[in-house]
Amino acid sequence: MNILIVQLVPPSHAPDRPRFCHELGLAVAMLRRRNLEVALVAMSDYDRDRLRSAVTRHRPSHILMDVPPHRHTLARHTIVEIAERHYLPVILVGRYATSQPEQAISIPGVTALIRGEYDQALPRLTAALATSDLSPAEVPGVWFNSEEGLVRNVPDKPTADLDTLPHPDRDIFDYGRTVSAEHEAAFRATRGCLNWCAHCLNDWYIELYGRDGYLRRRSVDHLLAEISAVVERYQGIQGIVFEDHAFATDAEWLARFAEEYPRRCGLPFRCRVCLNAVGQHTAELLARAGCRQVDVQIGSGSNFIREEVLTLRTSHNQILNGVSSMKRAGLAVRGMVFIGVPYESEVSVEETLDLVTALKLDEVVPRIFFPIAGTRAAEVCAENGWISGRGEECFYVPRSVLEMPSLPAERIDEIFHRFHALLRSRSGHSLAAWWRRIRKLATQPLHTFGRSRRRQRPRGHQ
């Protein structure tokens, strides 16, 4: 059985360079354990010639796609073309298949999909499709279009011991090109997330598996063994990035990591940190391990939007204290904020600017909010009739697709493009801010200057 993976990469990505994906790499490793032939073709848009060339070269029996939820329109067009021109059945996995299974299984050409984590179910499904010993309808987590109708199977519990899984396959992603372009190697220490953010699809996985035992962590030794193997295999790696949100949430594990990582690897790394789960001890452990930068999600300066709309569950004080702890530990802090979230207004934008200015972050990354189908935030937008006719291409442009009475799309786009200029004006680094200070001083009564100087004299000075 031969499988061809069709990967939809971002438009800004090199159109022919695959993008490393931990889940997909793990699935490929599991399939190759069973001696299946697996190949991959990357496309930033539908490319008929590139797809035909890949099909001719690899002669697959099935197509596998892990569809990004914000590219389901492109995916649908691609799948229909595959079915009509190449007569190949398509298997869908990933977040789109998990959160929108009814829509996904109805696409002409889709023979099956897997809901939830697919590293265990995919090898079983391919074995069932290749032989008559097992029916695809018997594989947990699989939705299958059978002759008797649509079969909807509940998934098994996810793999509890992550150390029993192989390291993700990176060769299929032509990972040497990724290292040459980015000079970093990406890893994950955990699987699962216990946060319930409204703009994320994680709640679908929590509903499938429950909260107990869903967040799992690799041992330090297992993680470092993968890092050592990757650094040795791919030349030119200058830094490491840990992409999981829960990387630094276990203090005992992090203490062990801080002891072993500098000795066994030593490359500088960056990671994500949850501001509602970080203190001075965690920050110091990260610094001791070799962390140089942390990425934090601030979301919004508005408490209502951050805690009620986005349900980030991170308070104003937790943000201030968390960033302060990391800066005291010598870590650079890069923060992400949304522009144009549901119920955004000029007032909430001002609150975001105020908070970001007070934090004095080393880098700020503004993002225009995009309502990903299947998220609770997207449901709020749809219920209020805020989603315009603009398509999923706005996710990458970026442009807002929301027309809200409190903040129209045109104004959201303007704020996004001027965000750093607005920050500079508040921080006093812009020419306009400098001129305003000069004008303020010019209108200040002369006698106040003397008072100001006298107040600054040391106490007791005559």
Side-chain angles (χ1 to χ4, degrees):
M1 183 176 185
N2 293 351
I3 297 175
L4 175 63
I5 300 171
V6 177
Q7 186 183 45
L8 302 179
V9 298
S12 59
H13 207 69
D16 63 337
R17 177 162 63 88
R19 188 178 192 183
F20 176 64
C21 170
H22 293 266
E23 294 83 359
L24 198 55
L26 178 57
V28 171
M30 298 288 284
L31 292 173
R32 286 180 168 171
R33 269 187 173 182
R34 299 191 175 214
N35 298 319
L36 270 69
E37 295 291 332
V38 188
L40 185 148
V41 58
M43 300 187 298
S44 60
D45 203 346
Y46 179 69
D47 188 329
R48 180 177 297 171
D49 293 336
R50 184 169 177 76
L51 181 61
R52 182 175 62 247
S53 175
V55 170
T56 301
R57 185 185 319 119
H58 301 291
R59 299 189 177 279
S61 58
H62 290 77
I63 300 293
L64 177 68
M65 295 183 70
D66 185 337
V67 177
H70 51 276
R71 306 207 79 185
H72 60 86
T73 302
L74 172 61
R76 183 182 185 90
H77 174 67
T78 304
I79 292 167
V80 170
E81 286 282 320
I82 289 172
E84 293 180 350
R85 293 182 178 275
H86 302 286
Y87 309 103
L88 291 171
V90 177
I91 302 170
L92 296 183
V93 295
R95 292 178 297 162
Y96 175 61
T98 299
S99 63
Q100 305 285 295
E102 299 281 357
Q103 183 183 95
I105 199 69
S106 68
I107 300 174
V110 173
T111 187
L113 63 80
I114 300 175
R115 298 193 71 200
E117 296 181 4
Y118 53 88
D119 50 84
Q120 300 289 347
L122 183 59
R124 295 180 64 182
L125 174 61
T126 55
L129 293 170
T131 68
S132 57
D133 296 336
L134 175 69
S135 169
E138 299 175 17
V139 180
V142 167
W143 284 31
F144 180 70
N145 280 316
S146 68
E147 294 181 357
E148 292 76 24
L150 178 61
V151 176
R152 301 176 176 87
N153 291 335
V154 177
D156 276 341
K157 288 289 185 182
T159 304
D161 185 358
L162 300 185
D163 288 4
T164 62
L165 298 174
H167 298 157
D169 189 294
R170 295 174 187 254
D171 289 344
I172 197 167
F173 299 99
D174 199 2
Y175 201 64
R177 291 181 62 194
T178 297
V179 171
S180 298
E182 302 175 3
H183 308 292
E184 281 186 330
F187 299 87
R188 288 189 179 177
T190 64
R191 294 188 76 178
C193 178
L194 298 183
N195 292 325
W196 196 273
C197 305
H199 62 285
C200 179
L201 292 166
N202 186 58
D203 53 347
W204 287 93
Y205 290 83
I206 294 178
E207 288 181 3
L208 281 177
Y209 298 125
R211 295 178 66 87
D212 294 339
Y214 178 51
L215 176 59
R216 294 142 291 153
R217 187 177 298 272
R218 301 166 67 180
S219 69
V220 171
D221 289 336
H222 191 262
L223 174 62
L224 292 181
E226 182 191 3
I227 294 174
S228 298
V230 171
V231 170
E232 182 179 354
R233 182 173 180 81
Y234 303 101
Q235 301 300 312
I237 297 175
Q238 300 174 10
I240 302 297
V241 53
F242 296 105
E243 297 183 334
D244 38 340
H245 290 276
F247 175 79
T249 58
D250 186 324
E252 182 178 351
W253 182 93
L254 189 59
R256 171 85 196 285
F257 179 83
E259 290 179 3
E260 296 295 325
Y261 180 83
R263 181 174 62 85
R264 296 170 59 176
C265 179
L267 288 173
F269 72 88
R270 59 186 177 92
C271 66
R272 293 178 176 179
V273 169
C274 296
L275 288 172
N276 57 5
V278 65
Q280 192 60 46
H281 180 58
T282 297
E284 291 172 356
L285 286 175
L286 287 170
R288 188 190 311 165
C291 182
R292 297 293 180 266
Q293 176 182 294
V294 294
D295 291 311
V296 299
Q297 183 165 256
I298 297 166
S300 173
S302 164
N303 292 333
F304 167 71
I305 287 179
R306 186 179 60 252
E307 298 180 27
E308 301 297 329
V309 179
L310 296 176
T311 61
L312 290 179
R313 297 175 183 174
T314 306
S315 69
H316 185 85
N317 286 337
Q318 285 176 325
I319 293 174
L320 293 174
N321 294 336
V323 171
S324 177
S325 295
M326 289 181 287
K327 292 177 78 69
R328 282 198 301 271
L331 303 174
V333 183
R334 178 170 64 177
M336 191 280 292
V337 295
F338 283 120
I339 308 297
V341 299
Y343 300 104
E344 187 86 275
S345 67
E346 298 283 356
V347 173
S348 62
V349 171
E350 290 293 317
E351 290 176 314
T352 297
L353 289 166
D354 286 342
L355 178 57
V356 172
T357 301
L359 291 173
K360 294 182 172 57
L361 300 170
D362 296 277
E363 185 180 350
V364 183
V365 181
R367 293 179 181 171
I368 291 182
F369 172 82
F370 185 90
I372 295 177
T375 63
R376 301 194 311 280
E379 292 175 1
V380 169
C381 296
E383 290 169 1
N384 286 278
W386 292 338
I387 300 178
S388 67
R390 299 185 186 93
E392 58 191 37
E393 68 278 359
C394 292
F395 182 87
Y396 293 109
V397 173
R399 289 179 61 200
S400 176
V401 300
L402 299 187
E403 289 289 352
M404 298 181 290
S406 59
L407 206 67
E410 184 178 356
R411 177 60 177 153
I412 293 172
D413 297 344
E414 179 187 4
I415 292 171
F416 169 77
H417 290 294
R418 296 188 60 235
F419 191 82
H420 287 100
L422 294 171
L423 279 180
R424 287 193 297 271
S425 68
R426 288 168 176 265
S427 304
H429 296 156
S430 70
L431 181 62
W434 174 83
W435 179 244
R436 285 196 296 270
R437 291 199 302 274
I438 293 296
R439 293 189 63 182
K440 182 177 180 180
L441 289 173
T443 58
Q444 185 175 345
L446 290 176
H447 66 275
T448 61
F449 288 99
R451 289 180 180 177
S452 176
R453 285 195 295 271
R454 283 195 294 272
R455 282 198 297 269
Q456 293 173 1
R457 291 176 180 174
R459 185 174 296 178
H461 180 80
Q462 300 297 325

